[in-house]
Amino acid sequence: MVSALGMTAVLGGCGSTGSSDVTLRLVAADYGDSPANSSKKYWDTLVKEYESKHPGVKIDVSVYSWNDVDAKVKDMVAAGHAPDLAQIGAYADYAAAGKLYPVSDLLSIPTQADFLSQLSEAGQWNHTQYGIPFAASTRVLFYNKTLFAKAGITTAPTTWDQLAADAQALKDKGVKYPFALPLGPEEAQAETMQWLLSGSDPGNGGNGYTDEIGTYTIDSAQNVQTFTWLKDDLVDKGLTGPVAPGRLNRATAFAAFADGQVGMLNGHPTLIQQAQTKGVKFGMVPMPGRTGKARASMGVADWMMAFKQNGHRDQIGDFLNFVYTEKNVLDFSREYGLLPVTGSASNTMSASDSAPDKALHPFLEELPTSELYPVGKTSWASVSAAVKQNIGQAVTPGGDPAGVLSRLQATASAADSSARN
């Protein structure tokens, strides 16, 4: 990959990449939780190395928190001052508006071919890839080994029935949250999708939010069965803790796990360090499914995209080929406990026995079969917002899972129809 990129750089040397001064503006999200590990440090180091080899190109990087970065880019585009590059949460609206370069216009063939296939596919709008995966994550089931031992549980659950039985055993021992079910507005769309996937057996419907051709299937029979089971077998039996799932946010659930108050919950890689810092002894296993291991785990990806407004296609492409070298992908993934988006970096991490890399192996194992949000649909943002606000009602006492999912399906279908018109 490095030699191929080297060839690309040499061939581009006669073009505009080094022939005149160009400044590329990059707006990026901050993956750190303090100034000490802000993403600005990562980008400053990477940019310094790149600029030392490309004296005619400057990279101006602005890093914003996840609370602000998407809105910052939206405002810049609306004002007619789009950045050259944006590393944010969604790309489809900009692709649909004709504002982005196709990935094939930017990256070398070896760089393109190195992306994990399901991430490349998720980066497509209207069958053309515009979103370049930047960071990835999957979910696994975390369980507290100390609480399991006190409840006499010797193995992690592999089916829903086992999960419910373990949760009951934990409740009987006074565990505050036997199974934490965060369906609050912070990130309910993630917990929801994980359960929709785990309730879907191979060959059956209800494969998450959409079917194989991208049509929303939120109220499929299997999805209704999934949320009916959650309500009847977990929530109504008091196995999800003192806070109603619709009011429990992911950050609160993670903090409770790190405080030793949660028996089980679905978590992503950042929970590892959070729990280790508090001294929690925990295990990680694939999410249980209805009758065995879940068919797929939920995957999440963040996106890099290149705006056409200012031109600079050659310089943007050359810089991105550098960003996605194996070394740089690994450096970022290791710094922030996220999964590499390229095959070369994933293989290197999978083969590594270092403690930080080994901790991510359970998540890496889930990535090849993971399914992502339907981020290629311009309607997804509004559908996701509706799920965040309403899905908790499906598991409230006296609630109607079928009715809630039916209303969400109607919202999704209307949003999808509006996006196409």
mmCIF file of all heavy atoms in Angstrom, residues 24 41 99 102 122 127 272 275 320 365 385 387 421:
data_model
loop_
_atom_site.group_PDB
_atom_site.id
_atom_site.type_symbol
_atom_site.label_atom_id
_atom_site.label_comp_id
_atom_site.label_asym_id
_atom_site.label_seq_id
_atom_site.Cartn_x
_atom_site.Cartn_y
_atom_site.Cartn_z
ATOM 1 N N LEU A 24 -5.764 23.656 2.234
ATOM 2 C CA LEU A 24 -6.964 22.843 2.363
ATOM 3 C C LEU A 24 -7.526 23.021 3.761
ATOM 4 O O LEU A 24 -6.793 22.931 4.748
ATOM 5 C CB LEU A 24 -6.650 21.360 2.127
ATOM 6 C CG LEU A 24 -6.047 20.982 0.773
ATOM 7 C CD1 LEU A 24 -5.794 19.479 0.731
ATOM 8 C CD2 LEU A 24 -6.971 21.396 -0.366
ATOM 9 N N LYS A 41 -4.401 16.999 18.515
ATOM 10 C CA LYS A 41 -3.021 16.514 18.618
ATOM 11 C C LYS A 41 -2.720 15.500 17.518
ATOM 12 O O LYS A 41 -1.642 15.528 16.912
ATOM 13 C CB LYS A 41 -2.779 15.893 19.997
ATOM 14 C CG LYS A 41 -2.853 16.898 21.143
ATOM 15 C CD LYS A 41 -2.574 16.251 22.478
ATOM 16 C CE LYS A 41 -1.136 15.764 22.578
ATOM 17 N NZ LYS A 41 -0.839 15.219 23.928
ATOM 18 N N LYS A 99 -22.767 18.192 -3.775
ATOM 19 C CA LYS A 99 -21.681 19.019 -3.249
ATOM 20 C C LYS A 99 -20.371 18.263 -3.018
ATOM 21 O O LYS A 99 -19.352 18.881 -2.706
ATOM 22 C CB LYS A 99 -22.116 19.673 -1.932
ATOM 23 C CG LYS A 99 -23.270 20.656 -2.096
ATOM 24 C CD LYS A 99 -23.639 21.332 -0.807
ATOM 25 C CE LYS A 99 -24.801 22.307 -1.001
ATOM 26 N NZ LYS A 99 -24.463 23.407 -1.941
ATOM 27 N N PRO A 102 -17.054 12.289 -5.798
ATOM 28 C CA PRO A 102 -17.086 10.835 -5.650
ATOM 29 C C PRO A 102 -15.718 10.339 -5.178
ATOM 30 O O PRO A 102 -14.685 10.921 -5.528
ATOM 31 C CB PRO A 102 -17.392 10.328 -7.063
ATOM 32 C CG PRO A 102 -17.945 11.504 -7.790
ATOM 33 C CD PRO A 102 -17.303 12.713 -7.178
ATOM 34 N N ALA A 122 -21.638 1.168 2.741
ATOM 35 C CA ALA A 122 -22.426 2.106 3.545
ATOM 36 C C ALA A 122 -22.138 3.547 3.162
ATOM 37 O O ALA A 122 -22.933 4.441 3.457
ATOM 38 C CB ALA A 122 -22.143 1.901 5.033
ATOM 39 N N HIS A 127 -25.817 4.567 -5.395
ATOM 40 C CA HIS A 127 -24.885 3.589 -5.977
ATOM 41 C C HIS A 127 -23.498 4.155 -6.288
ATOM 42 O O HIS A 127 -22.719 3.520 -7.012
ATOM 43 C CB HIS A 127 -25.476 2.945 -7.240
ATOM 44 C CG HIS A 127 -26.846 2.390 -7.052
ATOM 45 N ND1 HIS A 127 -27.117 1.325 -6.217
ATOM 46 C CD2 HIS A 127 -28.050 2.776 -7.566
ATOM 47 C CE1 HIS A 127 -28.417 1.065 -6.230
ATOM 48 N NE2 HIS A 127 -29.009 1.940 -7.031
ATOM 49 N N ILE A 272 -14.370 -0.003 27.680
ATOM 50 C CA ILE A 272 -13.265 -0.795 28.234
ATOM 51 C C ILE A 272 -12.443 0.035 29.206
ATOM 52 O O ILE A 272 -12.263 -0.335 30.373
ATOM 53 C CB ILE A 272 -12.366 -1.341 27.094
ATOM 54 C CG1 ILE A 272 -13.132 -2.339 26.235
ATOM 55 C CG2 ILE A 272 -11.105 -1.990 27.678
ATOM 56 C CD1 ILE A 272 -12.346 -2.821 25.026
ATOM 57 N N ALA A 275 -14.368 1.260 32.354
ATOM 58 C CA ALA A 275 -14.551 0.241 33.383
ATOM 59 C C ALA A 275 -13.226 -0.128 34.044
ATOM 60 O O ALA A 275 -13.167 -0.323 35.267
ATOM 61 C CB ALA A 275 -15.203 -0.996 32.773
ATOM 62 N N LEU A 320 -5.592 12.638 1.253
ATOM 63 C CA LEU A 320 -6.374 11.512 1.772
ATOM 64 C C LEU A 320 -5.649 10.185 1.579
ATOM 65 O O LEU A 320 -5.735 9.298 2.437
ATOM 66 C CB LEU A 320 -7.740 11.467 1.092
ATOM 67 C CG LEU A 320 -8.719 12.565 1.504
ATOM 68 C CD1 LEU A 320 -10.007 12.458 0.689
ATOM 69 C CD2 LEU A 320 -9.032 12.484 2.994
ATOM 70 N N GLU A 365 -13.785 -8.932 15.671
ATOM 71 C CA GLU A 365 -14.392 -10.172 15.201
ATOM 72 C C GLU A 365 -15.831 -9.955 14.752
ATOM 73 O O GLU A 365 -16.330 -10.675 13.879
ATOM 74 C CB GLU A 365 -14.331 -11.225 16.319
ATOM 75 C CG GLU A 365 -12.920 -11.725 16.593
ATOM 76 C CD GLU A 365 -12.816 -12.517 17.885
ATOM 77 O OE1 GLU A 365 -13.876 -12.760 18.525
ATOM 78 O OE2 GLU A 365 -11.697 -12.899 18.266
ATOM 79 N N ALA A 385 -33.877 10.574 14.637
ATOM 80 C CA ALA A 385 -34.386 11.493 15.660
ATOM 81 C C ALA A 385 -35.724 11.011 16.208
ATOM 82 O O ALA A 385 -35.986 11.088 17.420
ATOM 83 C CB ALA A 385 -34.516 12.897 15.080
ATOM 84 N N VAL A 387 -36.777 7.876 16.328
ATOM 85 C CA VAL A 387 -36.518 6.697 17.158
ATOM 86 C C VAL A 387 -36.033 7.125 18.543
ATOM 87 O O VAL A 387 -36.501 6.614 19.571
ATOM 88 C CB VAL A 387 -35.486 5.770 16.482
ATOM 89 C CG1 VAL A 387 -35.051 4.660 17.430
ATOM 90 C CG2 VAL A 387 -36.058 5.169 15.201
ATOM 91 N N ASN A 421 -38.521 13.040 -3.357
ATOM 92 C CA ASN A 421 -39.267 14.005 -4.182
ATOM 93 C C ASN A 421 -38.574 15.371 -4.248
ATOM 94 O O ASN A 421 -37.684 15.648 -3.496
ATOM 95 C CB ASN A 421 -40.674 14.182 -3.629
ATOM 96 C CG ASN A 421 -41.493 12.912 -3.755
ATOM 97 O OD1 ASN A 421 -41.252 12.112 -4.666
ATOM 98 N ND2 ASN A 421 -42.445 12.708 -2.851
#
